[in-house]
Amino acid sequence: MRALALALAAVIAAALLLPAFYVTLMINVGLASLVGVGLVLLTGIGGQTSFGQAAFAGIGAYTTALLTLSFGWSPWLTLPVALALAGVAALLIGVVTMRLSGHYLALATIAWGTSAYVLMGTLPGLGGFNGLVDVPALPGLRGASRMMLVFVGVLVLAALVLVGNLLDSRQGRAIRALATGRLMAESMGVNTGLVSLGIFVIAALFAGLSGWLYAHVQGVVNPSPFNLGAGIEYLFMVIIGGAGSLAGAVFGAGVVLVLRDQLNDWLPRLLGQPGNFEGMVFAAAVILALQNMPQGLVPLLLRRRRLVETRIDVNAPALPSREGAGAALKVSGVTRRFGGLLANDAVSFTAQAGAITALIGPNGAGKSTMFNLIGGLLAPNSGEISLGGVRIDGLPSRRVARAGVARNFQHVRLLAERSVLENVALGAHRRGRAGMISAMLRLDRAEERALLAEASRQVARVGLSELLHSPAGDLALGQQRMVEIARALCLDPVLLLLDEPAAGLRLAEKQQLAGLLRSLRASGITVLLVEHDMDFVMGLADHVVVMEYGRVISAGSPSVVQADPKVMDAYLGGVVA
Amino acid sequence: MDVTIAELLLQDGLTTGAIYLLLAIGLLLVFLVTRVIFIPQGDFVAYGALTLASMLAGHVPATLWLLDVCAVASALLQWRSWRGVSWALGPALLITLATLVAVRLGAWVWLQGALAVGITALLAPMVYRLAFRPLRHASLLTLLVVAMAVHFVMVGLGLVLFGPETQRTPAFSNASFTWGEVDISGHSLWVAGCCVVLVAALWWMFHATMLGRALRASASNPMGARLMGIEGDRMAAIAFAMAGGIAALAGLLIAPITPIAYDSGFLIGLKGFIAAVIGGLASYPVAAVAALVVGVVEAFASFWNSAYAAAIVFALLIPALLWLSVRTRSIEEP
Amino acid sequence: MIGRIAGVLVTTVILGSAQAAWADITIGGILSITGPTAAQGVGYKNAFDLMPKEMAGQKVNYIVRDDGGDPAVAVSIARKMIDEDHVDAFIGPATNPTLAAVMPVAQEAHVPVVVMAPALFDVHKYTFAFDTAQPTTLMIKGVVDHMKAHGVKTVGFIGYSDGFGDQVLDGLKLGAAGSDITVVDDERFARTDTSVQPQVLKALTHKPDVMMLGGSATPGALPSLALAQRNYKGQVYNNHGVVSPAYIQVGGQAVEGVIAPTGPLVVYDQLPDSNPVKAVATDFMTRYIAAFGPQSRNAFAGYSYDAMLIIQAGVPTALKAGAPGTQAFRDALRDGMEHVSNLIGTHGIYNMTPDNHNGMDERARVMVQVVNQSWKLMP
């Protein structure tokens, strides 16, 4: 709050004190920052890239220019229309690419940026490539006036606050998982395609707002400031500023635009010919920045921000949880091929409800494949997998998660820079409902308190309460495994899939883990685990399934399996784990 | 539209399509070996054409000095390794001498053309070494942004090196043949011929030579290739050089049809790139066919409604992306 | 944190803005030297090297900056020149989008601005704006008159898919209005297109008597190349944006016979001695060629030079009213420029009035044709 008041004071002071030219420049910085805030959300945090933000700004600018000039609308009334059109355009592009990996969105935005430029110059009524002139100023806010700077400044601050709110929420955790943890987030029930579509639309809305303002600040609208090159420059600004933090959007726009103005003076003298060589210099700066300081300028200008210690409200109401106890997992006749390799060959077994079932076997036996089939990362070629009588085979992993299957990963998948609490809270994603808009407007606080309280309870359950606010990447491997289990528990699972949970754990930790699993069993959760530590398995499991070469070779209670000669053969023949 | 016009449009579309095809192949080659989406390839098209134009005007091409500067810079970056330094400086030195002699003597056009392709081709691995190599472990998106930045730098340099005017280079052949009612220009036959020969040569190289197998191996399985003793770096440099050379050749093929300026390359490159994306950034044959389709669609779209032609060509991406979406099942990890 | 950002930005800006004002006359050039219109921009820019260092005994400083074709950058440059360099007048911009953005800024600050592209603006609203370029209608009228004289009925048009193409087409339609000439087709291409064959084929399906082209600089030769390939026998007209030796170099035999309007400057050496513009044009172009070489010959440089001449003509009056850098000086400069009469420039003769801030007449246009690979003045 104090920072906000300070910033507002700075904006007003700037508007009052700066010479007229710098008022114009700062307004341009503000307009670019609005686009930049969206790009930070999209690129730096969400791990997607768009080269076409300028085209969304163009939609905003042309909408208001057309409606005010040709239809006599008030500029204020055109704003919602401008935003809606920019949002719809983004929605269409996003839908086409939402299921594809990130670079396809970037490539699609190149095509979009190029096509939008052609359309803006060609569609009837838009004034051709000379564009529309004499766009009316906003009532009371003449062109590039000092009041306009205050207005733009307030909008930029509002954008920073809104996106800041969004990142500090249930949806924010999902957004942060997009860049490096899509697969994990899907397994937590997050529809990552939808989330990335959401931030793409939000980024486009901010760009549209910037374009709407541009039209009223300049009074002239034509296609050239909204071409692909302009879109790429917005991205460069954000990268130079620092795509990883919201401050980077403002820094980037400020540094690039102020420097550009200076370079426009100096470079021509240096090179002996006038010209717009700043573009070249900034592009070179982008290459050097990505090579040497991927965080951009922000870390140089601001001290490293510690993770905020979110306050936990222990009295928050509990989250809704599933009715009834665990359900049985039934795998029948499941076959999965990879090319010529038969990874699972007609595998059948059942994990009883409220029991611990262990899946063991030598390396290459097909256990991980079976896990991925159950978890929805793979679909079987034939056979059925059902949970509590409902088929889950072939469903994408987020649907499997929604059916109540929670898992950890053999190679730990955590967001290393985020706190343990945030990582764990991601597991509870499906138990909240708040969307991006309510997050931005802080309408989600009650639910958010409940989510964080649940997460902290689960962290306490795995015994890591004192590390609640540490970055997950700082933890020892064993502790990271426990964090993953806590995250899985946040899902309120029916079935818990644990892939080598005891690997890398010290003896005391293993005992603690065993205790935890027993208590889960007591609460009715079905547990299926893959584990190499035989002592751990045999002391814990109710039922053991042994696989070799993609087939089940033995199943039964630990004592039965241990006595089975086929199992002895398999383990003596293979690598004893 | 009568048949003659359709035939002419088809010929025109296939000629430009063939050029896009070359570019699509270059893009795929670089992408599969290095994961770099080679946006600046279009600039190499312009550099190739403008280098030749400047040699034909009797000047030492400015690209030559750029090459030498880059060569020295990349030699300095690997000064510890004698082999690295000689690889960086050797070819640059040779081609510098050859070009100086050729320009002095005003040698045959085809020799100057070959030198222009050579200079441009050698520039590409330098770009790899200076811009991309330090980021070889970075994400695909980071590499894409760097590729875009390299394009900006190359356009800016292009203006400084070549000036703003467009240039034309001589056609490979001024002959013209009549087939039915349609005139076929000798130059478009050359374009088609170059395209076929190059595709055949690449196919042969990929399937019958050690280098080709090594390139394919490092594309399909970089880790495995490294274990087999294939240097990823050298493969990347070779892929860049090949793409640079292919782009320069494309430049020499376009410049007689359409004058080229320092900033003409980008859009030409993008069309090759649409073809590569339609090929899922994986399949050479699909990309090749797609390139011809892009060329033909562009020709017919320009005929049908020239103002919207560019937008129509880019709209080809939409069905391609939808098709890729439908085919993709799991969420891909970036 | 947000407060800190604002703090840093404000400090940077205040430090950067501390610069002294000039005491001499200062003229600011805002040009698009890079970007899509770079090829023209160089001509506009080169002319600044040939401008006088003194006007009416007062030292003149020229500051030339590049807007890259971006209106927002042009506005930003204009404001900076007003606030920090205290310019007394602007030369440029020379593209329609950028000049449309700069004119209101100059008007607000009461700084005379001489734009260099044919622009249709309201002189009573933009009282400080002047224009040295022949109105497109004036230029294209020459083409249309030639068409009429040769009994042309149908014209096909191929032009840039940008503001320039729009302008030429508008000029053509305006000129043809009321006559029996009809524009039968409108095709567009981009400077960077790999082929204009399809557009040419389409245009030829309408069997036009003649073709009119709306490109500029060297890429303006593209449609001619394609027309030659299709053995088009009709007359090909181009516009004043292409008249330069470089155009013929790129177009070669394909542009032989092309007719275009242009300012007298381009064919200064072929003008009859009776032509009033000849002396000024010859003086300027010989100096220009000496400085930049014969291939650099172009029409654009003359517009910058004429802009300077118009400002120069206003300076004596302005100096009586106040010192350079003051508002009084700029107001009087504007008044002086508005009363310029019979000023001989490189492109024509300027007669300004409060209702006409361009003041050119048909003497500002000659028709030229490519004959034996060079531009020849048509009788």
Side-chain angles (χ1 to χ4, degrees):
Chain A
M1 228 45 232
R2 215 179 53 117
L4 202 61
L6 218 69
L8 193 63
V11 167
I12 293 172
L16 290 176
L17 298 175
L18 287 178
F21 162 67
Y22 286 93
V23 171
T24 312
L25 190 63
M26 284 299 112
I27 289 176
N28 289 346
V29 169
L31 294 182
S33 301
L34 280 175
V35 180
V37 169
L39 268 178
V40 164
L41 176 68
L42 185 70
T43 301
I45 297 171
Q48 319 266 310
T49 295
S50 166
F51 297 110
Q53 294 308 99
F56 294 119
I59 293 185
Y62 266 100
T63 307
T64 189
L66 188 70
L67 291 178
T68 49
L69 287 172
S70 304
F71 300 94
W73 285 35
S74 147
W76 300 115
L77 288 179
T78 65
L79 181 58
V81 183
L83 293 184
L85 288 177
V88 168
L91 199 65
L92 293 176
I93 299 163
V95 163
V96 173
T97 53
M98 71 188 262
R99 288 172 56 100
L100 298 173
S101 75
H103 56 283
Y104 282 102
L105 175 67
L107 300 184
T109 58
I110 292 178
W112 153 245
T114 316
S115 310
Y117 173 77
V118 173
L119 294 179
M120 284 186 260
T122 314
L123 286 175
L126 297 186
F129 286 88
N130 285 329
L132 301 165
V133 293
D134 293 328
V135 180
L138 291 174
L141 293 169
R142 192 177 44 80
S145 61
R146 292 176 189 279
M147 271 315 285
M148 181 56 102
L149 177 55
V150 175
F151 182 59
V152 172
V154 168
L155 286 177
V156 171
L157 290 176
L160 290 172
V161 169
L162 288 178
V163 176
N165 286 350
L166 174 60
L167 287 174
D168 173 30
S169 76
R170 163 180 176 267
Q171 297 285 358
R173 289 185 287 274
I175 293 167
R176 289 190 196 277
L178 289 177
T180 54
R182 272 191 99 146
L183 195 142
M184 174 272 288
E186 284 278 321
S187 293
M188 297 304 129
V190 179
N191 187 341
T192 56
L194 215 55
V195 175
S196 55
L197 182 63
I199 56 174
F200 186 57
V201 171
I202 291 175
L205 292 179
F206 282 122
L209 173 65
S210 172
W212 175 82
L213 274 167
Y214 175 99
H216 296 294
V217 169
Q218 299 290 353
V220 189
V221 173
N222 67 69
S224 59
F226 307 118
N227 64 13
L228 181 63
I232 295 166
E233 273 184 26
Y234 284 127
L235 184 65
F236 285 179
M237 285 182 198
V238 167
I239 289 170
I240 291 174
S245 69
L246 288 175
V250 184
F251 268 135
V255 167
V256 168
L257 292 180
V258 171
L259 261 186
R260 164 196 280 172
D261 173 66
Q262 297 298 321
L263 286 176
N264 200 321
D265 272 351
W266 286 103
L267 274 184
R269 289 182 215 175
L270 235 65
L271 290 169
Q273 61 186 88
N276 197 345
F277 298 111
E278 310 88 74
M280 193 164 89
V281 171
F282 288 126
V286 164
I287 299 174
L288 289 174
L290 288 172
Q291 287 178 352
N292 302 305
M293 40 178 211
Q295 302 298 312
L297 289 173
V298 169
L300 296 183
L301 298 168
L302 292 175
R303 75 187 121 70
R304 183 96 194 98
R305 221 176 60 162
R306 281 168 297 115
L307 289 173
V308 186
E309 294 200 4
T310 325
R311 272 221 343 263
I312 307 295
D313 180 1
V314 285
N315 299 321
L319 287 171
S321 54
R322 282 174 214 284
E323 297 291 316
L329 173 78
K330 200 163 163 12
V331 175
S332 41
V334 167
T335 296
R336 170 72 202 199
R337 272 179 227 95
F338 293 104
L341 183 80
L342 206 52
N344 282 169
D345 182 7
V347 175
S348 300
F349 66 88
T350 303
Q352 292 299 338
I356 297 176
T357 304
L359 193 57
I360 63 168
N363 282 332
K367 308 182 299 284
S368 294
T369 304
M370 177 48 64
F371 249 54
N372 287 336
L373 287 168
I374 299 169
L377 291 180
L378 296 172
N381 294 108
S382 63
E384 280 184 22
I385 302 170
S386 61
L387 182 66
V390 181
R391 275 184 73 167
I392 56 166
D393 53 278
L395 294 180
S397 50
R398 63 171 180 277
R399 303 267 306 275
V400 173
R402 272 174 238 177
V405 179
R407 66 171 297 174
N408 74 342
F409 295 90
Q410 193 182 347
H411 303 285
V412 174
R413 290 175 187 263
L414 290 171
L415 305 179
E417 286 169 19
R418 310 310 304 172
S419 71
V420 167
L421 177 70
E422 279 180 84
N423 270 288
V424 172
L426 186 62
H429 187 83
R430 292 302 311 168
R431 297 171 76 185
R433 311 182 55 85
M436 292 189 177
I437 294 168
S438 57
M440 286 201 262
L441 301 174
R442 283 281 189 234
L443 303 174
D444 61 339
R445 290 298 98 181
E447 181 187 285
E448 180 71 4
R449 274 195 297 279
L451 281 172
L452 291 178
E454 169 71 10
S456 78
R457 271 196 294 278
Q458 298 302 347
V459 173
R461 203 166 172 189
V462 300
L464 291 174
S465 285
E466 69 277 22
L467 294 170
L468 195 60
H469 301 294
S470 309
D474 292 359
L475 271 57
L477 180 65
Q479 292 171 323
Q480 293 189 353
R481 290 202 179 281
M482 298 306 274
V483 172
E484 280 212 323
I485 294 173
R487 183 177 66 195
L489 291 175
C490 259
L491 206 93
D492 187 23
V494 176
L495 168 67
L496 188 60
L497 296 176
L498 295 176
D499 201 349
E500 302 193 22
L505 262 59
R506 290 193 297 267
L507 186 63
E509 288 171 329
K510 282 185 187 173
Q511 284 165 353
Q512 192 194 349
L513 175 64
L516 173 65
L517 294 182
R518 286 194 187 98
S519 78
L520 292 175
R521 170 172 62 189
S523 69
I525 295 178
T526 312
V527 179
L528 178 65
L529 62 99
V530 164
E531 188 50 71
H532 284 276
D533 183 335
M534 283 307 142
D535 290 343
F536 184 78
V537 169
M538 296 306 168
L540 185 67
D542 304 301
H543 185 75
V544 179
V545 178
V546 189
M547 288 182 69
E548 189 189 21
Y549 300 124
R551 291 198 187 126
V552 175
I553 55 167
S554 177
S557 68
S559 50
V560 170
V561 165
Q562 273 170 314
D564 189 331
K566 277 186 283 185
V567 178
M568 308 274 247
D569 274 358
Y571 273 88
L572 289 173
V575 181
V576 179
Chain B
M1 189 194 309
D2 59 32
V3 180
T4 318
I5 287 179
E7 280 173 358
L8 282 169
L9 287 175
L10 196 65
Q11 184 198 343
D12 186 65
L14 288 176
T15 309
T16 41
I19 287 163
Y20 300 154
L21 187 156
L22 293 178
L23 298 178
I25 287 177
L27 278 165
L28 275 178
L29 184 64
V30 168
F31 179 74
L32 292 176
V33 175
T34 65
R35 295 184 307 133
V36 172
I37 295 176
F38 195 31
I39 305 262
Q41 199 188 14
D43 301 313
F44 282 89
V45 174
Y47 273 41
L50 293 173
T51 301
L52 177 61
S54 140
M55 287 168 75
L56 292 178
H59 306 299
V60 177
T63 19
L64 193 63
W65 307 129
L66 179 66
L67 173 68
D68 290 341
V69 170
C70 289
V72 170
S74 84
L76 287 176
L77 275 181
Q78 43 193 331
W79 59 277
R80 273 174 232 271
S81 133
W82 166 243
R83 193 156 154 255
V85 171
S86 52
W87 266 101
L89 289 181
L93 196 67
L94 279 179
I95 204 155
T96 305
L97 291 175
T99 310
L100 289 178
V101 171
V103 169
R104 189 67 188 267
L105 298 178
W108 307 288
V109 176
W110 64 263
L111 177 63
Q112 304 209 25
L115 284 169
V117 171
I119 294 170
T120 319
L122 282 178
L123 203 53
M126 305 290 172
V127 167
Y128 166 73
R129 159 141 299 274
L130 297 174
F132 296 104
R133 190 181 175 277
L135 286 162
R136 63 196 178 285
H137 301 300
S139 75
L140 215 157
L141 275 175
T142 304
L143 292 172
L144 175 58
V145 173
V146 171
M148 198 54 104
V150 169
H151 154 67
F152 263 58
V153 172
M154 284 191 69
V155 170
L157 279 177
L159 179 60
V160 177
L161 298 178
F162 303 112
E165 289 296 348
T166 46
Q167 306 283 348
R168 231 175 123 206
T169 57
F172 286 36
S173 149
N174 287 317
S176 169
F177 308 91
T178 312
W179 183 67
E181 285 185 32
V182 178
D183 291 333
I184 296 176
S185 74
H187 187 76
S188 35
L189 289 180
W190 264 100
V191 173
C194 282
C195 201
V196 169
V197 168
L198 203 86
V199 168
L202 282 175
W203 194 88
W204 174 78
M205 196 198 82
F206 278 137
H207 289 88
T209 66
M210 275 312 288
L211 176 63
R213 291 207 192 102
L215 276 172
R216 272 169 65 205
S218 40
S220 59
N221 184 353
M223 182 72 87
R226 204 153 41 243
L227 291 176
M228 301 284 292
I230 298 169
E231 283 174 75
D233 249 1
R234 208 163 70 86
M235 290 303 118
I238 289 171
F240 265 83
M242 286 172 64
I246 291 172
L249 176 66
L252 301 197
L253 290 173
I254 300 174
I257 311 176
T258 301
I260 292 287
Y262 73 103
D263 60 348
S264 308
F266 183 57
L267 272 180
I268 299 172
L270 275 191
K271 308 223 171 103
F273 180 77
I274 293 177
V277 172
I278 294 176
L281 288 174
S283 159
Y284 286 99
V286 177
V289 174
L292 295 178
V293 171
V294 168
V296 172
V297 167
E298 192 183 20
F300 279 86
S302 302
F303 181 86
W304 173 64
N305 189 332
S306 54
Y308 291 100
I312 294 170
V313 170
F314 283 101
L316 281 177
L317 265 187
I318 296 173
L321 289 173
L322 276 176
W323 163 242
L324 286 172
S325 284
V326 171
R327 262 190 1 182
T328 316
R329 184 196 122 79
S330 64
I331 293 297
E332 292 168 48
E333 199 77 294
Chain C
M1 174 197 68
I2 300 170
R4 259 165 171 275
I5 307 172
V8 172
L9 285 180
V10 168
T11 329
T12 327
V13 164
I14 288 176
L15 288 177
S17 65
Q19 255 180 28
W22 299 99
D24 315 318
I25 297 175
T26 309
I27 295 177
I30 304 176
L31 304 172
S32 307
I33 303 164
T34 54
T37 54
Q40 291 102 294
V42 173
Y44 289 113
K45 186 252 324 184
N46 284 344
F48 278 81
D49 291 2
L50 305 178
M51 291 183 187
K53 305 285 173 264
E54 275 189 13
M55 286 181 185
Q58 204 77 20
K59 192 166 175 295
V60 187
N61 296 301
Y62 300 95
I63 309 168
V64 180
R65 301 213 3 194
D66 173 31
D67 59 32
D70 182 340
V73 176
V75 165
S76 175
I77 291 173
R79 283 196 200 274
K80 182 166 190 182
M81 286 180 166
I82 292 168
D83 286 353
E84 297 197 346
D85 304 319
H86 304 283
V87 291
D88 297 295
F90 286 112
I91 294 181
T95 72
N96 268 300
T98 46
L99 69 84
V102 166
M103 270 197 303
V105 176
Q107 183 66 27
E108 189 187 308
H110 285 223
V111 179
V113 53
V114 190
V115 302
M116 301 183 290
L120 300 166
F121 59 89
D122 178 0
V123 284
H124 299 291
K125 185 172 173 194
Y126 295 110
T127 50
F128 278 76
F130 298 84
D131 195 345
T132 55
Q134 296 90 340
T136 313
T137 41
L138 176 70
M139 285 307 219
I140 305 299
K141 189 169 175 295
V143 171
V144 177
D145 287 348
H146 189 274
M147 289 178 188
K148 283 178 187 160
H150 291 80
V152 171
K153 296 278 177 282
T154 52
V155 194
F157 176 80
I158 301 179
Y160 278 161
S161 52
D162 66 7
F164 191 84
D166 291 353
Q167 251 178 63
V168 175
L169 180 65
D170 290 348
L172 178 65
K173 283 182 172 163
L174 225 71
S179 72
D180 50 1
I181 298 176
T182 43
V183 182
V184 289
D185 189 32
D186 166 18
E187 295 299 321
R188 297 307 179 97
F189 72 104
R191 282 157 225 268
T192 50
D193 274 356
T194 31
S195 166
V196 282
Q197 280 282 349
Q199 287 90 329
V200 164
L201 285 169
K202 176 74 169 291
L204 296 188
T205 55
H206 296 276
K207 302 213 174 359
D209 296 343
V210 298
M211 288 297 298
M212 174 72 194
L213 307 181
S216 61
T218 38
L222 263 168
S224 287
L225 292 171
L227 282 166
Q229 217 177 325
R230 293 273 66 81
N231 287 319
Y232 179 65
K233 296 293 180 228
Q235 177 63 47
V236 177
Y237 295 91
N238 214 318
N239 66 82
H240 46 297
V242 298
V243 183
S244 73
Y247 170 80
I248 298 179
Q249 199 185 7
V250 166
Q253 284 304 317
V255 298
E256 189 68 23
V258 166
I259 294 176
T262 185
L265 175 65
V266 183
V267 282
Y268 73 95
D269 40 0
Q270 302 170 34
L271 294 174
D273 287 339
S274 60
N275 189 309
V277 176
K278 182 162 186 177
V280 178
T282 307
D283 166 60
F284 174 70
M285 203 37 102
T286 31
R287 285 197 288 142
Y288 190 89
I289 289 173
F292 304 105
Q295 281 304 310
S296 65
R297 214 163 136 173
N298 67 78
F300 307 110
Y303 296 117
S304 295
Y305 198 74
D306 287 358
M308 181 278 298
L309 288 176
I310 292 169
I311 295 170
Q312 192 178 32
V315 166
T317 338
L319 280 172
K320 285 183 204 127
T326 62
Q327 189 55 54
F329 179 83
R330 290 194 292 269
D331 286 336
L333 179 61
R334 189 211 80 89
D335 294 342
M337 289 163 71
E338 190 167 79
H339 291 97
V340 158
S341 73
N342 281 321
L343 174 76
I344 303 176
T346 61
H347 271 285
I349 294 155
Y350 298 90
N351 281 298
M352 303 291 182
T353 67
D355 298 317
N356 187 345
H357 277 194
N358 170 252
M360 292 175 123
D361 52 32
E362 302 227 337
R363 288 174 293 178
R365 182 196 67 222
V366 294
M367 297 303 290
V368 291
Q369 184 167 28
V370 181
V371 180
N372 293 328
Q373 296 293 289
S374 71
W375 291 105
K376 288 284 178 306
L377 182 66
M378 294 174 74

